[in-house]
Amino acid sequence: MADSAQVVPVEEPVATVTATVTATTATTTAEPEANKTSDQMESQTAKPPVGTLVTIMNLFAIGVLPIFTFFLSLTLLGYAVWLLYMRSYDCEDILGLPRIQTIASVSLLAVFVVSNAALFLRRKFPMPALVVMFVILLLMLFIGLAYAGVNEMQNRRFPATGTWFKLKVNDDVNWNNIKSCVYDKGACNELVYGSPKDNPYNRRKIPPLKNGCCMPPETCNMDALNATFWYRRKDEGRPLKTEVLYGGMVGRLSDCELWRNDWSVLCYDCRSCKSGFVRSVRRKWWQLGVFLIVISILLLISHLLIFLATFWERFNGSSSS
């Protein structure tokens, strides 16, 4: 009896110690697991998954860039149609400009087709598409710089540039045809209905062709009695004589002396008239040059980004597989 009574109390502390040790072990093992789980959550929140970045780049390469490039190329189509619509404008047919405008329009349409073909074939032939577009767009940029008057590619062989226009109008045969066309179109007729006394002529608001052909130059210091009759101020001396090309010979006649109060003569033989005609016709081609510069640079950047995005997509596709 005494021995059995002593054995029974001994088992209870052993069970208690075992439970305590088990609970302590569970607590110590649970704490690292909890710390590990919290560290993983922090790392996941700090770094975005790689798959999300790849998805964004693929969406940018597949959707945004091609759509932007397509709408950008539509401006080529619109400008080509505008050039065809403006083929006969300000006696340009005398210089053969309608034919040049047709060539320019067809070229813009060709660039539009090639640009969209490069977009369609960018996955199969990315490098050839990029090379073809770079060659075409660099050529278009070079021509745009010439039309805008930025580079020195302005000679008699490159049409519709500033030097080309000046050489054409200084030719006597061409200028005789041009001034006859300007006279037949009635470029100076609108000035008849305005009286300089009631509504003084504001040369800044008058087109350069009318300003140069229908009025004497401002340096002549002449007053207008009406649209067709101008007289010199009494307190002004004779204008300085300058060498001008007149009648195929270099003479000592100034624009002021070439002016006549005759409706069929006016200042059609003046240098100011030739300059006004060049400025009025040249403006359209200058705008074409600026357009070619801007659109070629934008398309170059766009196609280069598409090329890089396509190779990014290929790299990620090969690495994932």
Side-chain angles (χ1 to χ4, degrees):
M1 295 289 295
D3 295 335
S4 61
Q6 291 177 358
V7 172
V8 173
V10 174
E11 294 179 356
E12 292 180 356
V14 172
T16 304
V17 171
T18 305
T20 305
V21 172
T22 304
T24 305
T25 305
T27 304
T28 55
T29 55
E31 289 179 354
E33 291 179 356
N35 294 331
K36 183 178 180 180
T37 304
S38 62
D39 293 339
Q40 291 177 353
M41 292 178 63
E42 290 178 358
S43 62
Q44 290 178 357
T45 54
K47 297 181 180 180
V50 181
T52 304
L53 182 60
V54 173
T55 303
I56 294 174
M57 290 300 297
N58 291 338
L59 180 62
F60 188 70
I62 297 172
V64 177
L65 274 177
I67 292 175
F68 172 76
T69 306
F70 171 73
F71 280 104
L72 194 62
S73 65
L74 286 178
T75 57
L76 296 170
L77 183 62
Y79 211 96
V81 174
W82 182 79
L83 279 178
L84 290 175
Y85 176 75
M86 298 292 289
R87 288 181 73 252
S88 58
Y89 178 75
D90 282 348
C91 305
E92 292 181 349
D93 53 340
I94 297 175
L95 301 178
L97 291 179
R99 179 175 57 87
I100 301 173
Q101 290 180 210
T102 303
I103 296 174
S105 301
V106 173
S107 301
L108 291 178
L109 292 176
V111 176
F112 170 78
V113 173
V114 173
S115 176
N116 287 280
L119 288 178
F120 182 74
L121 300 174
R122 70 185 185 277
R123 296 180 181 276
K124 295 182 179 180
F125 310 103
M127 183 61 73
L130 179 67
V131 171
V132 171
M133 286 307 303
F134 256 64
V135 171
I136 294 176
L137 292 175
L138 286 176
L139 179 61
M140 190 168 69
L141 176 63
F142 188 65
I143 295 175
L145 292 173
Y147 280 139
V150 177
N151 64 358
E152 298 298 329
M153 188 181 156
Q154 296 190 25
N155 50 49
R156 65 182 66 192
R157 294 185 179 181
F158 196 79
T161 57
T163 305
W164 185 86
F165 278 120
K166 291 178 182 178
L167 291 173
K168 289 294 184 180
V169 299
N170 283 331
D171 183 81
D172 293 336
V173 177
N174 288 332
W175 182 245
N176 288 331
N177 295 328
I178 291 171
K179 71 179 182 180
S180 298
C181 177
V182 173
Y183 176 78
D184 294 337
K185 287 184 175 292
C188 300
N189 292 344
E190 295 181 1
L191 298 180
V192 178
Y193 301 102
S195 175
K197 295 181 179 179
D198 300 332
N199 185 17
Y201 291 126
N202 188 351
R203 290 181 178 266
R204 295 182 180 180
K205 295 182 179 180
I206 297 176
L209 181 64
K210 296 180 180 180
N211 199 347
C213 300
C214 307
M215 303 179 183
E218 289 185 281
T219 56
C220 298
N221 296 319
M222 299 175 69
D223 292 327
L225 181 63
N226 53 44
T228 60
F229 191 89
W230 294 69
Y231 61 94
R232 190 176 306 281
R233 299 171 186 172
K234 294 181 179 180
D235 57 346
E236 296 290 343
R238 294 179 61 85
L240 295 176
K241 295 180 180 180
T242 56
E243 293 185 358
V244 297
L245 186 65
Y246 178 68
M249 300 177 60
V250 177
R252 302 287 294 179
L253 294 176
S254 66
D255 283 357
C256 302
E257 293 175 325
L258 290 174
W259 166 263
R260 295 291 182 270
N261 288 315
D262 186 348
W263 185 252
S264 61
V265 179
L266 297 180
C267 212
Y268 287 120
D269 289 318
C270 300
R271 285 181 302 170
S272 61
C273 185
K274 296 179 180 179
S275 176
F277 175 79
V278 171
R279 288 173 57 192
S280 63
V281 179
R282 173 102 175 89
R283 180 174 178 81
K284 180 174 63 177
W285 295 91
W286 177 82
Q287 291 175 349
L288 175 62
V290 173
F291 170 77
L292 292 179
I293 293 172
V294 174
I295 197 66
S296 59
I297 292 175
L298 291 178
L299 285 177
L300 278 171
I301 296 173
S302 180
H303 279 280
L304 179 61
L305 291 177
I306 288 175
F307 173 79
L308 296 176
T310 303
F311 268 85
W312 168 271
E313 184 183 2
R314 283 190 175 186
F315 175 77
N316 284 280
S318 59
S319 61
S320 61
S321 60

